Amino acid sequence: MAQSPVAGTVMSGEMDKPLISRRLVDSDGSLAEVPKEAPKVGILGSGDFARSLATRLVGSGFSVVVGSRNPKRTAGLFPSLAQVTFQEEAVSSPEVIFVAVFREHYSSLCSLADQLAGKILVDVSNPTEKERLQHRQSNAEYLASLFPACTVVKAFNVISAWALQAGPRDGNRQVLICGDQLEAKHTVSEMARAMGFTPLDMGSLASAREVEAIPLRLLPSWKVPTLLALGLFVCFYAYNFIRDVLQPYIRKDENKFYKMPLSVVNTTLPCVAYVLLSLVYLPGVLAAALQLRRGTKYQRFPDWLDHWLQHRKQIGLLSFFFAMLHALYSFCLPLRRSHRYDLVNLAVKQVLANKSRLWVEEEVWRMEIYLSLGVLALGMLSLLAVTSIPSIANSLNWKEFSFVQSTLGFVALMLSTMHTLTYGWTRAFEENHYKFYLPPTFTLTLLLPCVIILAKGLFLLPCLSHRLTKIRRGWERDGAVKFMLPAGHTQGEKTSHV
Ligand code: NAP
């Protein structure tokens, strides 16, 4: 291309407004006239992707010509400003041609090889999982092998037809671009920018295989945390079921199976949320202990710990999810028919026993404090969840982010621990709460957080905190890096936040 057609364009979120301004701003800030004619772009294929792409390109000020095997049939589906014609005619004048057909049909385009020579072909295709395993060559490399006289650029495959049509107004949409020719990549990047997307250079065409694998992934970083959360849920649910349903049925012949859908679930949810929250902070404690033991930060952590540290955000968000569900389920508890019957039965019992007023001061206080601590813990978790959203996290500097995630996160763990303790109160010491000799569930969940809180407390001791701070600033016990910390240096100034 002689001139990049889209440099310095003004973006708009609306499809109908051209993104290319009639006037461009020169590097010196003065206004310059744009070329009279809109830059021409070709599209091969008239399917879903081609239609959305054409709509977006037309809306961004490009002149679009679509090449179809049957233009008469498909012309009505495209915006009126797009020209729909036969493939041969469509590829004759544009310098950039999008190939919006599936890989298995690439070879049917070989008859166009002469007209396509010297042009930029943009490969937008995505293989299926089966195709990916079947072919060692990426779709883009295969296209390049069929058209050696063209420059192939891989782009736009991570953007769905729907997202193209809607435009990038509802969030940041990156267009991953790779190719062997810098100039061609630049041209496609500028087009993506003009359409309102954010181009991201992924390197040479050899990276196309990696880029093509991205849309096939299903939340890869969530797999282990989700399985962990589900595993915890199943274990705690089974434990609570044995204690709250099975034990009364076997020992007292009481039918409490009605508790399974709501009450047992609600007893399980906070256990999962609480343990998951502890699992966010446990790897940091283990990492610190390991650094103290090794006397250096320059030794790699074991792989399992490395992965665990990297998944803390997902584990934290799942903890928030389970805590939210617990709050919602708790609101539903008084709505249950069984709850109403229990209340009426209690009232009748009171009347029969001739007791006028039921009021246990200790229970009243316990409940008030317990609920208040629960709401505070949930509020804190919400704050952590909100600040983990990329756009918000990006607006915080490292110190602010670390304060919220590390310090406030630990406050959330403390509040949850106090919430659990006030819930349990003296029950851990009462024999009738050990059903089938199984301790109350809250005592089990308290183990891990208490270990973490204790370890964090230990790390605050001057002898350990000073040593840890030195290690995190590069000091090594047996190594060459030895220095004194400046006087008055505190743990708050540490450089690593694992
Ligand atoms: P589609 O609706 O099935 O369209 C494919 C088009 O290929 C047909 O409309 C056809 O147009 C054309 N074609 C050319 N030669 C062909 C041949 N020999 N046999 C059959 N069709 C032929 O598929 P699509 O959803 O638009 O996807 C097109 C490409 O975009 C694929 O490589 C896909 O992986 C990629 N993609 C799609 C999306 C999406 O959201 N749909 C997202 C990212 C990437 P004519 O009949 O007019 O020639």
Side-chain angles (χ1 to χ4, degrees):
M1 265 185 140
Q3 187 189 351
S4 172
V6 288
T9 54
V10 177
M11 283 177 234
S12 156
E14 287 148 3
M15 294 281 291
D16 49 340
K17 281 189 197 159
L19 286 176
I20 292 191
S21 161
R22 282 290 104 201
R23 315 193 94 192
L24 292 177
V25 182
D26 272 347
S27 51
D28 63 358
S30 63
L31 290 172
E33 285 299 318
V34 291
K36 288 259 161 25
E37 218 178 296
K40 212 168 196 174
V41 181
I43 301 175
L44 283 172
S46 63
D48 296 334
F49 193 84
R51 275 199 298 279
S52 301
L53 182 65
T55 313
R56 188 86 213 134
L57 282 167
V58 166
S60 305
F62 290 90
S63 160
V64 177
V65 52
V66 179
S68 167
R69 291 166 306 160
N70 192 345
K72 255 193 179 165
R73 194 188 59 191
T74 49
L77 303 169
F78 282 82
S80 54
L81 283 174
Q83 183 194 349
V84 184
T85 178
F86 288 102
Q87 291 176 336
E88 296 76 14
E89 203 183 327
V91 299
S92 60
S93 55
E95 289 300 314
V96 180
I97 291 144
F98 284 83
V99 182
V101 304
F102 288 101
R103 176 188 176 122
E104 64 263 34
H105 304 138
Y106 284 177
S107 54
S108 72
L109 304 174
C110 283
S111 56
L112 306 169
D114 287 342
Q115 284 136 288
L116 290 172
K119 303 196 174 193
I120 298 172
L121 295 185
V122 185
D123 181 286
V124 301
S125 69
N126 280 319
T128 58
E129 194 71 62
K130 200 173 146 206
E131 281 171 339
R132 216 177 110 72
L133 293 174
Q134 204 177 338
H135 308 291
R136 287 189 59 216
Q137 225 177 10
S138 67
N139 287 1
E141 288 167 308
Y142 172 59
L143 187 67
S145 71
L146 289 180
F147 298 93
C150 301
T151 306
V152 172
V153 174
K154 180 91 210 173
F156 286 95
N157 67 306
V158 293
I159 306 285
S160 69
W162 180 85
L164 260 180
Q165 191 123 22
R169 63 186 154 221
D170 56 349
N172 170 35
R173 292 202 191 280
Q174 283 182 335
V175 171
L176 309 187
I177 296 176
C178 67
D180 289 335
Q181 236 205 50
L182 270 181
E183 208 181 319
K185 271 200 293 188
H186 179 72
T187 305
V188 178
S189 298
E190 288 303 308
M191 288 183 76
R193 225 187 287 279
M195 290 156 80
F197 294 97
T198 312
L200 185 69
D201 192 340
M202 296 293 287
S204 69
L205 206 62
S207 323
R209 203 171 158 76
E210 191 192 325
V211 173
E212 286 172 8
I214 292 171
L216 296 176
R217 288 188 203 149
L218 184 68
L219 305 172
S221 54
W222 285 87
K223 205 169 167 185
V224 176
T226 308
L227 286 175
L228 175 75
L230 288 178
L232 282 172
F233 185 87
V234 170
C235 291
F236 277 116
Y237 187 91
Y239 192 85
N240 289 325
F241 172 77
I242 293 170
R243 279 178 45 83
D244 299 348
V245 180
L246 217 55
Q247 196 267 356
Y249 184 68
I250 293 174
R251 287 278 157 87
K252 302 178 201 161
D253 205 18
E254 283 175 9
N255 185 346
K256 301 245 168 142
F257 284 89
Y258 70 88
K259 285 187 167 185
M260 284 173 66
L262 209 139
S263 179
V264 181
V265 172
N266 194 37
T267 322
T268 304
L269 290 170
C271 302
V272 181
Y274 189 33
V275 172
L276 284 176
L277 186 62
S278 324
L279 292 178
V280 173
Y281 293 96
L282 185 60
V285 167
L286 294 177
L290 214 59
Q291 286 176 338
L292 277 173
R293 191 165 156 255
R294 289 171 169 175
T296 177
K297 70 166 184 175
Y298 295 113
Q299 262 183 48
R300 266 183 64 87
F301 292 132
D303 278 351
W304 59 268
L305 185 56
D306 227 19
H307 285 132
W308 193 352
L309 285 163
Q310 282 167 26
H311 283 107
R312 284 179 296 179
K313 174 179 162 180
Q314 287 79 5
I315 300 175
L317 285 174
L318 282 169
S319 165
F320 170 64
F321 171 71
F322 280 92
M324 278 296 295
L325 283 184
H326 171 49
L328 291 175
Y329 267 77
S330 299
F331 279 125
C332 296
L333 288 179
L335 302 178
R336 291 172 307 160
R337 184 67 63 186
S338 59
H339 177 76
R340 291 184 203 175
Y341 289 149
D342 277 345
L343 275 183
V344 173
N345 289 337
L346 188 68
V348 171
K349 237 183 187 176
Q350 285 284 111
V351 172
L352 291 178
N354 213 8
K355 282 186 187 163
S356 58
R357 190 165 180 256
L358 183 64
W359 185 272
V360 183
E361 189 73 14
E362 183 186 298
E363 273 301 289
V364 171
W365 274 98
R366 181 183 75 85
M367 207 63 186
E368 300 277 322
I369 298 170
Y370 154 69
L371 288 175
S372 176
L373 287 168
V375 172
L376 284 174
L378 185 63
M380 210 54 102
L381 277 181
S382 318
L383 193 70
L384 296 180
V386 168
T387 47
S388 69
I389 297 170
S391 56
I392 296 178
N394 290 343
S395 70
L396 303 174
N397 67 31
W398 171 238
K399 196 163 182 171
E400 290 163 344
F401 183 77
S402 166
F403 171 74
V404 174
Q405 295 295 330
S406 189
T407 313
L408 294 188
F410 190 65
V411 172
L413 186 70
M414 293 288 285
L415 286 169
S416 310
T417 304
M418 291 195 284
H419 174 63
T420 312
L421 283 171
T422 44
Y423 167 78
W425 212 239
T426 54
R427 277 182 235 184
F429 312 105
E430 292 166 11
E431 205 186 325
N432 61 327
H433 285 289
Y434 284 74
K435 297 176 179 174
F436 280 150
Y437 303 106
L438 297 173
T441 325
F442 77 91
T443 55
L444 299 184
T445 60
L446 274 167
L447 287 176
L448 211 51
C450 286
V451 169
I452 294 166
I453 293 167
L454 203 73
K456 285 259 186 194
L458 279 177
F459 291 151
L460 286 178
L461 292 176
C463 55
L464 291 182
S465 101
H466 188 70
R467 195 177 171 84
L468 200 55
T469 312
K470 275 203 306 180
I471 289 172
R472 287 176 173 177
R473 294 199 52 167
W475 177 87
E476 287 187 283
R477 189 177 51 204
D478 309 316
V481 191
K482 297 213 184 275
F483 64 88
M484 297 289 290
L485 275 181
H489 186 90
T490 61
Q491 177 76 7
E493 292 166 55
K494 64 188 179 211
T495 49
S496 171
H497 295 273
V498 282

